[in-house]
Amino acid sequence: MNDLELDVRPILRHGGEPFGAIMGAVSRLAKGQRLKLYATFKPEPLFHVMASQGFSNEASPLEDGEWMVIFTPVDGERVAVVESSPESPETWPDPAHYLDCTELDPPEPMVRILAQLEIMPEGEVLFALLAREPIFLFPELKLRGHAWVGNFDAAGEAYRLMVRAGGQK
């Protein structure tokens, strides 16, 4: 079976977000088919997203410093997309930390949010403003046992994210 190839380098070079194109390609894969992805950088946050959907990865640098990654379905099966289960976020304490990440380019917002969460005690809440929905952050939050809720503001210009450190409490 041939690999499905997707080159997101043009999207990245124009400052775009290729996540939708990648998930669209994943949805078109036949059972057992691999996705061959070309990117301008090693897309490590995507590795966790794809692992949560049942894919292993093999990343190879290209001669020009860009990357090719082959995502292979493990056992030919895929699992559900990662989701948070924030039990009653209205009962969470007020945020103790605020981060404005609207002016930062990916992956800096994710790096800053995860760094802040590392030093927060369990149960404390972080509020962050982002320029876009942090799709790659969600699997990391779940992996580290944090709960979150988020949505776009009324104007649709900023994504508001609240994260409770340490998972369920």
Side-chain angles (χ1 to χ4, degrees):
M1 179 179 314
N2 293 336
D3 296 335
L4 176 62
E5 292 192 19
L6 179 64
D7 188 348
V8 297
R9 293 175 294 187
I11 297 171
L12 293 167
R13 287 184 187 122
H14 288 95
E17 173 56 58
F19 188 75
I22 295 167
M23 290 299 107
V26 169
S27 70
R28 293 192 309 271
L29 291 173
K31 184 173 183 173
Q33 188 177 24
R34 302 182 327 167
L35 174 64
K36 187 182 290 185
L37 178 73
Y38 294 92
T40 57
F41 62 94
K42 187 176 182 180
E44 292 184 38
L46 184 61
F47 297 167
H48 299 294
V49 172
M50 294 296 284
S52 72
Q53 296 194 25
F55 289 88
S56 64
N57 70 77
E58 180 182 323
S60 305
L62 302 174
E63 290 181 13
D64 56 5
E66 297 182 342
W67 287 82
M68 177 187 71
V69 182
I70 297 175
F71 292 101
T72 304
V74 177
D75 298 327
E77 296 294 327
R78 294 176 46 201
V79 297
V81 175
V82 173
E83 293 182 9
S84 172
S85 55
E87 302 164 20
S88 307
E90 64 277 1
T91 64
W92 293 1
D94 289 337
H97 305 276
Y98 295 87
L99 293 176
D100 183 351
C101 302
T102 55
E103 301 294 323
L104 302 175
D105 291 325
E108 192 60 29
M110 181 168 78
V111 170
R112 289 194 184 184
I113 290 168
L114 292 175
Q116 180 63 47
L117 287 166
E118 295 239 344
I119 60 172
M120 291 170 52
E122 185 173 335
E124 211 168 61
V125 175
L126 164 72
F127 178 84
L129 273 179
L130 303 116
R132 61 187 72 158
E133 186 173 9
I135 301 294
F136 297 120
L137 175 63
F138 297 147
E140 288 296 322
L141 295 175
K142 180 167 180 129
L143 184 69
R144 297 168 191 222
H146 304 300
W148 72 93
V149 293
N151 62 12
F152 282 96
D153 65 7
E157 296 175 355
Y159 192 84
R160 304 172 296 192
L161 178 68
M162 281 192 4
V163 182
R164 187 183 60 201
Q168 301 178 24
K169 188 167 186 177

